[in-house]
Amino acid sequence: MSPAEKSPQRPAGLKQQLLQKLLYCTGDMQHLHTYLQDQAFSVQLLEWSLRGVSGVIMVDNPVSGALILTALTLSSRWQALLGSTGLLTSTITAIIIGHERAEVSRGQFGYNGMLVALLIGASSSAGDWYWWLLLSACLGGATTVFVSSGLAPVLGRWDLPVSVFPFNTILLLYLACIGTHNPYYPVLPLGVPLSTNNTELNMPQLLKGVVLGVGQIYACDALGPTLLILFAVLIFSPIMAVHALLGSGIGTLAGLSVAVRHDALYSGLSSFNGALGCMAVGGLMFTLNWKTHVFSIVCAFLSSYADIAFSNVLATVCLPASSWAATLTVTLMLLVSGPALSSYRVPTGRNPPDHYLHTPNQCTEDNTDSSPV
């Protein structure tokens, strides 16, 4: 064969190699985790922390964590600093009190600390760079580790994840402790009811709110950073990315059906619980089929309506509902004992193997591996 006939094949070969290298950044990147086992502690801590960043949205990928941290920095450098402080504090606390390395390395103790710190910043009326909030972020992040340690044996009896119970608990206690008129830690007006608004809808803003519902999981209300967060979910699992948008859309529909305030619809505040519920059931806790897909839609509706109810009730004591609705709804869904659904349940702590993008080599390994899952 002449050189002229061979040359057209080179771009295709290069494209395939590039695609294969990009696909190595997808899924849980276990190969990277294995490689870093013999590296310096600081390098390992960086990987653990990035997995903790992505763990907020139920993702386990350090590249996704890096993209999400970049998105938070683009949205607000102060919020990114607060979140990183809570993340590192909770991770280091878990190491100090002697938690298993496997749990710490997957970021299981980092994401609750990060969430507490992010919401402490989002609820403050003192503005950016109010340095006293770093103390709250450190204390809140460290406390989530102790709450998680206490809940794990109790929930483990039913094979239930600790999830974000520590975050919701600590945030509620923190805001109840400082009150609404604290001179050192001033907060924004919280606990506003979600119901009652009859003004005309703005459809472009409503569609934007569906996307922002994913970003609100990180207390991010900017469209560009939210799209980057969604891409970070996509490279871990396309199925979870689809369910995130689906759940957020369902949350918007639920809000429209009971006349939720339009500013909550446009900002995504009324739909992020739906996104969390849909992702947990349709993309993480169960293997995907038509039954579990319908189950995830039901969970998204229930999470969204529960969030509206909790918001209206907690508004009477000036407290936010945060993500209690999705957390409790998903927990109840996991307790459903019907064999039509329980047979598709994924054990706590394991990722569904069919939700990732695969390189050609990984596909070959999967096809030749006959061990039971």
Side-chain angles (χ1 to χ4, degrees), residues 21-36 47 51 60-65 235-236 351 356 362:
K21 292 183 182 298
L22 290 174
L23 286 175
Y24 275 116
C25 296
T26 65
D28 59 3
M29 295 190 69
Q30 186 60 37
H31 52 279
L32 175 64
H33 181 70
T34 303
Y35 171 75
L36 293 178
E47 188 224 354
R51 288 185 185 274
D60 183 17
N61 183 307
V63 173
S64 296
I235 65 173
F236 172 72
N351 295 318
Y356 303 150
Q362 289 171 325

Coordinates of all heavy atoms in Angstrom, one line a residue, residues 21-36 47 51 60-65 235-236 351 356 362:
K21 N -8.1 8.5 25.7 CA -7.5 9.2 26.8 C -8.5 10.0 27.6 O -8.5 10.1 28.8 CB -6.3 10.1 26.3 CG -5.1 9.3 25.8 CD -4.0 10.2 25.4 CE -2.8 9.4 24.8 NZ -2.2 8.5 25.8
L22 N -9.4 10.7 26.9 CA -10.5 11.4 27.5 C -11.4 10.5 28.3 O -11.8 10.9 29.4 CB -11.3 12.2 26.5 CG -10.5 13.4 25.8 CD1 -11.4 14.0 24.7 CD2 -10.2 14.5 26.8
L23 N -11.6 9.3 27.8 CA -12.5 8.4 28.5 C -11.9 7.9 29.8 O -12.7 7.4 30.7 CB -12.9 7.3 27.6 CG -13.9 7.6 26.5 CD1 -14.1 6.4 25.6 CD2 -15.3 8.1 27.0
Y24 N -10.6 8.0 29.9 CA -10.0 7.6 31.2 C -10.3 8.5 32.3 O -10.1 8.2 33.5 CB -8.5 7.5 31.0 CG -8.0 6.2 30.5 CD1 -7.4 6.1 29.2 CD2 -8.2 5.0 31.1 CE1 -7.0 4.9 28.7 CE2 -7.8 3.8 30.6 CZ -7.2 3.7 29.4 OH -6.8 2.5 28.9
C25 N -10.9 9.7 32.0 CA -11.3 10.7 33.0 C -12.7 10.5 33.5 O -13.3 11.2 34.3 CB -11.1 12.1 32.5 SG -9.4 12.5 32.2
T26 N -13.4 9.5 32.9 CA -14.8 9.2 33.2 C -14.9 8.1 34.3 O -14.0 7.5 34.7 CB -15.6 8.8 31.9 OG1 -15.1 7.5 31.5 CG2 -15.4 9.8 30.8
G27 N -16.2 7.9 34.7 CA -16.4 6.9 35.8 C -15.8 7.3 37.1 O -15.6 8.5 37.4
D28 N -15.4 6.4 37.9 CA -14.9 6.7 39.2 C -13.3 6.8 39.2 O -12.7 7.0 40.3 CB -15.3 5.6 40.3 CG -14.9 4.2 39.9 OD1 -14.2 4.0 38.8 OD2 -15.3 3.3 40.6
M29 N -12.7 6.6 38.1 CA -11.2 6.7 37.9 C -10.5 5.9 39.0 O -9.6 6.4 39.6 CB -10.8 8.2 38.0 CG -11.4 9.0 36.8 SD -10.6 10.7 36.8 CE -8.9 10.3 36.3
Q30 N -10.9 4.7 39.1 CA -10.3 3.8 40.1 C -8.8 3.6 39.8 O -8.0 3.4 40.7 CB -11.0 2.4 40.2 CG -10.5 1.5 41.3 CD -10.6 2.1 42.6 OE1 -11.6 2.7 42.9 NE2 -9.7 1.8 43.5
H31 N -8.4 3.6 38.5 CA -7.0 3.4 38.1 C -6.2 4.5 38.7 O -5.0 4.3 39.1 CB -6.9 3.4 36.6 CG -7.6 4.5 35.9 ND1 -9.0 4.6 35.6 CD2 -7.1 5.7 35.4 CE1 -9.2 5.7 35.0 NE2 -8.1 6.4 34.9
L32 N -6.7 5.8 38.7 CA -5.9 6.9 39.3 C -5.8 6.7 40.8 O -4.7 6.9 41.3 CB -6.6 8.2 39.0 CG -6.0 9.4 39.6 CD1 -4.6 9.7 39.1 CD2 -6.9 10.7 39.4
H33 N -6.8 6.3 41.4 CA -6.8 6.0 42.9 C -5.8 5.0 43.2 O -5.0 5.1 44.2 CB -8.2 5.6 43.4 CG -8.2 5.4 44.8 ND1 -8.2 6.4 45.8 CD2 -8.4 4.3 45.6 CE1 -8.2 5.9 47.0 NE2 -8.4 4.6 46.9
T34 N -5.7 3.9 42.4 CA -4.7 2.9 42.7 C -3.3 3.4 42.5 O -2.4 3.1 43.3 CB -5.0 1.7 41.8 OG1 -6.3 1.2 42.0 CG2 -4.0 0.6 42.0
Y35 N -3.1 4.2 41.4 CA -1.8 4.7 41.1 C -1.3 5.6 42.3 O -0.1 5.7 42.6 CB -1.8 5.5 39.8 CG -0.6 6.3 39.5 CD1 0.6 5.6 39.1 CD2 -0.6 7.7 39.7 CE1 1.7 6.4 38.8 CE2 0.6 8.4 39.4 CZ 1.7 7.7 39.0 OH 2.9 8.5 38.7
L36 N -2.2 6.4 42.9 CA -1.8 7.4 43.9 C -1.5 6.8 45.3 O -1.1 7.5 46.2 CB -2.8 8.5 44.0 CG -3.0 9.4 42.8 CD1 -4.1 10.4 43.0 CD2 -1.7 10.1 42.5
E47 N -6.5 14.3 46.1 CA -7.5 13.4 45.4 C -8.7 13.2 46.3 O -9.9 13.2 45.8 CB -6.8 12.1 45.0 CG -7.7 11.2 44.2 CD -7.7 9.8 44.6 OE1 -6.9 9.4 45.5 OE2 -8.5 9.0 44.0
R51 N -12.6 14.3 45.4 CA -13.7 13.3 45.4 C -14.8 13.8 46.4 O -16.0 13.6 46.2 CB -13.2 11.9 45.8 CG -12.4 11.2 44.7 CD -12.0 9.8 45.1 NE -11.1 9.2 44.1 CZ -11.5 8.6 43.0 NH1 -12.8 8.4 42.8 NH2 -10.7 8.1 42.2
D60 N -18.4 10.4 42.2 CA -17.1 10.0 42.8 C -16.0 10.0 41.7 O -15.6 9.0 41.2 CB -17.3 8.5 43.3 CG -16.1 8.0 44.0 OD1 -15.2 8.8 44.3 OD2 -15.9 6.8 44.2
N61 N -15.6 11.2 41.4 CA -14.6 11.4 40.3 C -13.8 12.6 40.6 O -14.3 13.7 40.8 CB -15.3 11.5 39.0 CG -14.3 11.6 37.8 OD1 -13.4 12.5 37.8 ND2 -14.5 10.8 36.8
P62 N -12.4 12.5 40.8 CA -11.6 13.7 41.1 C -11.6 14.8 40.0 O -11.5 16.0 40.3 CB -10.2 13.1 41.4 CG -10.2 11.8 40.7 CD -11.6 11.3 40.7
V63 N -11.7 14.4 38.8 CA -11.7 15.4 37.7 C -13.1 16.1 37.8 O -13.1 17.4 37.6 CB -11.6 14.7 36.3 CG1 -11.8 15.7 35.2 CG2 -10.2 14.0 36.2
S64 N -14.1 15.4 38.0 CA -15.4 16.1 38.2 C -15.3 17.1 39.4 O -15.8 18.2 39.4 CB -16.5 15.1 38.5 OG -16.8 14.3 37.4
G65 N -14.6 16.7 40.5 CA -14.5 17.6 41.6 C -13.7 18.8 41.3 O -14.0 19.9 41.7
I235 N -19.5 13.5 32.8 CA -18.3 12.7 32.6 C -18.2 11.6 33.6 O -17.5 10.6 33.4 CB -17.0 13.5 32.6 CG1 -16.7 14.1 34.0 CG2 -17.0 14.6 31.6 CD1 -15.3 14.8 34.1
F236 N -18.9 11.7 34.7 CA -18.9 10.6 35.7 C -20.0 9.6 35.2 O -19.7 8.4 35.2 CB -19.2 11.1 37.1 CG -19.5 10.0 38.1 CD1 -18.5 9.2 38.5 CD2 -20.8 9.7 38.5 CE1 -18.7 8.1 39.4 CE2 -21.0 8.7 39.4 CZ -20.0 7.9 39.9
N351 N -21.0 1.8 43.3 CA -21.6 2.5 42.2 C -22.1 1.6 41.1 O -21.5 0.5 40.9 CB -20.5 3.4 41.5 CG -20.0 4.5 42.4 OD1 -20.8 5.2 43.1 ND2 -18.7 4.7 42.4
Y356 N -21.3 4.1 33.5 CA -20.2 4.9 33.1 C -19.9 4.8 31.6 O -20.4 3.9 30.9 CB -18.9 4.3 33.8 CG -18.9 4.2 35.3 CD1 -18.2 3.3 36.0 CD2 -19.6 5.2 36.0 CE1 -18.3 3.2 37.4 CE2 -19.7 5.2 37.4 CZ -19.0 4.2 38.0 OH -19.0 4.1 39.4
Q362 N -11.5 -1.1 28.6 CA -12.4 -1.4 29.7 C -13.5 -2.2 29.2 O -14.0 -3.1 30.0 CB -12.9 -0.1 30.3 CG -11.8 0.7 31.1 CD -12.2 2.0 31.6 OE1 -13.0 2.7 30.9 NE2 -11.7 2.4 32.7

